[in-house]
Amino acid sequence: MNRPVPPAPSDAATRLARRAEALDAADPLRGVRDRFVLDEAVYLDGNSLGALPRSVPDRVAEVVAEEWGRLRIRSWTESGWDSAPERIGDRLAPLLGAAPGQVVVGDSTSVNLFKLLVGAVRLAGDGRDEILLDADTFPTDRYVAESAARMTGRRLRALPPAGIAAEAGARTAVALVNHVDYRSGELRDLPALTAALHEAGALALWDLCHSAGALPVELDRHAVDLAVGCGYKYLNGGPGAPAFAYVRAAHLPRFDSPLPGWWGHRDPFAMSADYAPHAGARRLRVGTPDILSMLALEAALDAFDGVELAAVRAKSLALTDFFLECVGELVPEGAAEPLTPAEHARRGSQVSLRCPDAAGLLGRLVARGVVADHRPPDVLRFGFAPLYTGFAEAARAAATLGELLGASRRGPAGNGGR
Ligand SMILES: *Cc1c(COP(=O)(O)O)cnc(C)c1O
C-alpha cells in the first residue's frame, strides 16, 4: 500500500522554519548541543530520559576498567567512591540553589520521597496529624504518601495545588507538592506556597523531578524544608540514574530517617550495634551506593559547566513560546488544545497538548522522527531540554503534528500509515 505523500510545506511552515533558523543562530546556548549525542530525530522526550552527554561514555569505561578493574576495593577510598553521594550532591546543589552540605545523591525518587516524607512528619512532631498532597501528583508520590500516612498515623488530604495554601493549618505537618506538573507542564508557585506553609507552621516538601536542570529552583532562597528529584530527566544522568534528596541545613541535626542504613551512620565501619546518624547530609543515605550509575550522573553534570540557569530558563520559555505559536499556526483549529499555561510564571519546560487519540498520534509522530510521549488518556507531551533542543526542532515537530492532524481531518485515507 502506498503511503500518502506528505503535503508540501505550507507558506506558514516555511516562514516559521526561517524564523527558527534565525532564533537558533542567535541562541547563546547553541554550542551546548554539541555536548550531547544526538541524531536527526527531533528528540522532545528529555523530560522522561535526558539525552546522553558526550562526557559520559569514556568516564564510565574508565571507572569500570581502572577503578573497579584495577584498584578494586581500594577505590572506595582512593577513587572517592566512599563520599560520592555527598560530592555529587554538592556538585548538583548550585542547580538547585542550595549551599553545600544539604544534598545527597542516591536511591530513586520514590525511596527519597519515603525517607523525606516520614522524616518531615517526625520533624513536625506529634501535634500535627495531617499530610497535604498535591492531588495532581505523579502517581508514585501518591502511593508513597499513602503508605507514609498509614505508617505514621497521619491523615492524608489530597488537594488541588492552588488550594493547599488556604487549607494548611495548625494540624498540617507537611505538604508534598510537585514543582512542575508532569502531565500539564504547569509550574507551581514555589516561593508563595512555601511561605504559606511556613506561615501555618508546616513544612514544604517539593518534588523537583520536572524542574531540576530545566529552570532555577532556589531552594535556600525560599527556605524550602525538603526536596527530592530525579537524575535522569533534565539532569541527563542516564536510565535509572540515582535521584537526589535535599534537607535544609537547619533541619538536618533533627532529621530522623525512617531508613537508617549503615551508610548513614556516623562511622559505618565501626560496625556498631547502635545506630548513630552522621552529623550531616550523609544521614540521608541508606545502603551501598550504586557507584556506576552515580559516577555516570557525575560525568553528565559536565554538560552544565559554565551554563547559567537564567539562560536555560530564558531559552526554555522562548522554545515553548515558539512551539505554541507554531502549533497555533500549523495545527488545525481545535485538533490539539494546549494544556500548558500560556503565562510564563506558570510554565515549566514542556508543552502538553490534549488531542483525542493521543496514543495513535504519538506512534505516527515517532514514525516521522519526532519523539515525544503520551500520558493517558489524551495528553501528548513535548519536553524542551534547553541544553540541546533547538528552535528548528520545535518548528519541525509542530509542522509534522499539523500535517498528521490536517491529514486525519481530511479523512481516514490520510491517516499517515505506520
Ligand atoms: C519521574 C518522576 C518520578 C520518578 O520516580 P522514580 O522513583 O525515580 O522512578 C517521581 N515523581 C515525579 C513527579 C516524577 O516526575
Side-chain angles (χ1 to χ4, degrees), residues 44-108:
L44 301 180
D45 213 5
N47 53 342
S48 227
L49 178 65
L52 170 65
R54 289 191 191 280
S55 48
V56 171
D58 287 353
R59 174 65 183 136
V60 170
E62 181 192 21
V63 170
V64 170
E66 175 66 17
E67 299 185 5
W68 179 14
R70 198 177 69 81
L71 296 175
R72 294 182 289 263
I73 195 83
R74 287 164 56 193
S75 276
W76 284 106
T77 45
E78 291 177 29
S79 305
W81 290 357
D82 177 30
S83 54
E86 294 84 53
R87 178 180 76 242
I88 303 167
D90 284 346
R91 174 94 189 269
L92 184 58
L95 295 177
L96 309 176
Q102 306 174 100
V103 181
V104 159
V105 165
D107 302 319
S108 64

Side-chain angles (χ1 to χ4, degrees), residues 68 72 91 102 132 140 159 166 188 291-292 303 342 355 375:
W68 179 14
R72 294 182 289 263
R91 174 94 189 269
Q102 306 174 100
L132 303 184
T140 206
L159 298 165
R188 272 66 182 268
I291 290 297
L292 297 182
C355 349
R375 289 293 174 264

Side-chain angles (χ1 to χ4, degrees), residues 114-314:
F114 175 79
K115 289 187 272 183
L116 267 51
L117 196 52
V118 174
V121 168
R122 291 175 175 179
L123 279 173
D126 285 339
R128 294 181 175 262
D129 65 357
E130 70 173 14
I131 297 171
L132 303 184
L133 174 71
D134 170 351
D136 300 330
T137 188
F138 189 92
T140 206
D141 303 49
R142 178 187 289 268
Y143 307 152
V144 168
E146 280 170 355
S147 175
R150 202 143 43 86
M151 280 183 49
T152 57
R154 281 2 183 224
R155 183 167 72 119
L156 182 67
R157 281 207 291 149
L159 298 165
I164 290 177
E167 289 291 317
R171 302 179 64 168
T172 311
V174 55
L176 165 57
V177 192
N178 289 192
H179 194 197
V180 173
D181 185 282
Y182 77 102
R183 190 191 302 267
S184 67
E186 176 172 351
L187 173 66
R188 272 66 182 268
D189 191 343
L190 179 148
L193 183 46
T194 303
L197 287 165
H198 289 169
E199 191 73 25
L203 300 169
L205 167 50
W206 286 92
D207 185 327
L208 309 176
C209 280
H210 286 273
S211 57
L215 50 99
V217 180
E218 315 246 47
L219 293 177
D220 286 351
R221 184 171 158 212
H222 302 299
V224 166
D225 303 286
L226 316 104
V228 298
C230 187
Y232 52 80
K233 290 170 182 163
Y234 294 102
L235 297 174
N236 315 302
F244 61 86
Y246 161 95
V247 173
R248 190 166 171 68
H251 295 312
L252 271 173
R254 286 204 307 124
F255 184 86
D256 177 13
S257 173
L259 285 174
W262 69 306
W263 283 91
H265 195 279
R266 181 181 301 156
D267 185 4
F269 288 92
M271 302 291 174
S272 160
D274 301 313
Y275 183 73
H278 190 274
R282 187 166 172 143
R283 71 173 58 195
L284 304 176
R285 287 167 65 168
V286 185
T288 309
D290 39 0
I291 290 297
L292 297 182
S293 301
M294 198 165 275
L295 299 186
L297 169 63
E298 182 174 41
L301 293 174
D302 288 358
F304 284 91
D305 282 353
V307 172
E308 293 285 341
L309 279 178
V312 170
R313 179 62 172 159

Side-chain angles (χ1 to χ4, degrees), residues 326-340:
C326 293
V327 168
E329 289 217 30
L330 304 175
V331 172
E333 181 95 34
E337 286 304 319
L339 205 62
T340 306

